[in-house]
Amino acid sequence: MFVAIPNRTRPGIRWATPLLLLACVGVFLWLQTMEPGLRAHWLTDWGALDGNPPTLHWAEWRDALLDGSMLRPFTALFLHADWPHLLGNLAFLLIFALPAERVLGGGWLLGLFLGGGALANFGAQLLAGTPGLSVIGASGAISAVIGAYLALFPRAQLGLVLPLGLFLEFVKVPASLLIGVWVLLQMGFAYIGPSFGETAWVAHVGGFLLGAAFALLLRQRIARRLRHRGA
């Protein structure tokens, strides 16, 4: 089911991950130049959830497309509430997107981030049940990247620093174990709902599943491209 990745493939230029990082940081710094009221206005207007999602009526979809609100699931990916929110997402982006981009290529990685993140946000919009909320942040998109990473590198290991007495010990843990625990936590928090913090847990779960399915559907194409690159 998984992609066999040659160990000696020549890495190409990884441009999509740095571009996404710069976009998130740039938008955040730009918003910081605004006075608080105007900044809150932007976060609300361009967050993924702002009122009820369009129904199946064509007129509502047409109006959402014309006034730009159809873009909110995408624009929400580059909006962050504060520095901890931004830096936490960027740390996960660097850890998982760089190796995923090495295998997928910049174009596919960028498409996964935008498409997977937007679909995850839209799914959260449909399931939220609370009009007027705004979901912002790249976590749905990064969850999609994490799902793709696990599908591409099922036997990978991640470094983990553990406190052992007075010392810190660096250990390697199977990525499947850490990501599996993370997924179970997201599912549990999604079931508990808003009572466990103002986080779009459903977008995390949806993004992860979309990313894993995306990588598995492309596995044959990826394997052919990697064999050609390593030839």
Side-chain angles (χ1 to χ4, degrees):
M1 292 179 62
F2 297 105
V3 179
I5 301 174
N7 291 326
R8 297 184 179 180
T9 56
R10 297 189 297 272
I13 298 176
R14 296 178 226 182
W15 56 268
T17 302
L19 178 64
L20 291 169
L21 187 150
L22 289 174
C24 290
V25 173
V27 170
F28 181 81
L29 293 177
W30 175 62
L31 288 174
Q32 297 309 302
T33 64
M34 301 179 181
E35 59 93 16
L38 181 59
R39 181 165 63 247
H41 174 77
W42 269 85
L43 295 178
T44 300
D45 280 0
W46 294 102
L49 303 186
D50 185 26
N52 291 311
T55 65
L56 295 179
H57 296 292
W58 160 245
E60 291 193 37
W61 287 91
R62 180 199 59 202
D63 293 342
L65 183 62
L66 292 176
D67 65 16
S69 60
M70 188 71 74
L71 298 177
R72 286 172 181 165
F74 296 95
T75 56
L77 301 174
F78 300 96
L79 302 175
H80 293 84
D82 48 37
W83 279 108
H85 187 203
L86 173 69
L87 295 178
N89 277 341
L90 294 186
F92 276 85
L93 181 66
L94 289 173
I95 291 170
F96 295 104
L98 285 174
E101 182 178 355
R102 176 173 65 88
V103 176
L104 291 172
W108 283 114
L109 189 279
L110 185 61
L112 172 63
F113 183 94
L114 295 174
L119 287 173
N121 283 342
F122 187 70
Q125 182 179 7
L126 293 176
L127 297 175
T130 307
L133 288 177
S134 292
V135 173
I136 60 174
S139 55
I142 294 171
S143 298
V145 174
I146 293 174
Y149 175 92
L150 183 60
L152 295 170
F153 305 100
R155 299 180 181 85
Q157 292 187 326
L158 296 173
L160 190 65
V161 178
L162 297 176
L164 298 177
L166 299 177
F167 302 97
L168 297 176
E169 185 72 20
F170 180 83
V171 298
K172 289 186 176 182
V173 181
S176 57
L177 175 61
L178 291 179
I179 295 175
V181 171
W182 175 82
V183 171
L184 290 176
L185 289 174
Q186 308 310 301
M187 295 175 65
F189 297 155
Y191 176 77
I192 295 172
S195 60
F196 202 91
E198 298 178 357
T199 303
W201 307 110
V202 173
H204 297 180
V205 177
F208 174 83
L209 294 176
L210 287 168
F214 176 85
L216 291 176
L217 288 173
L218 289 180
R219 63 188 184 275
Q220 293 182 352
R221 181 192 294 268
I222 294 170
R224 287 196 301 270
R225 185 170 62 83
L226 290 177
R227 284 196 296 268
H228 177 73
R229 184 196 296 178

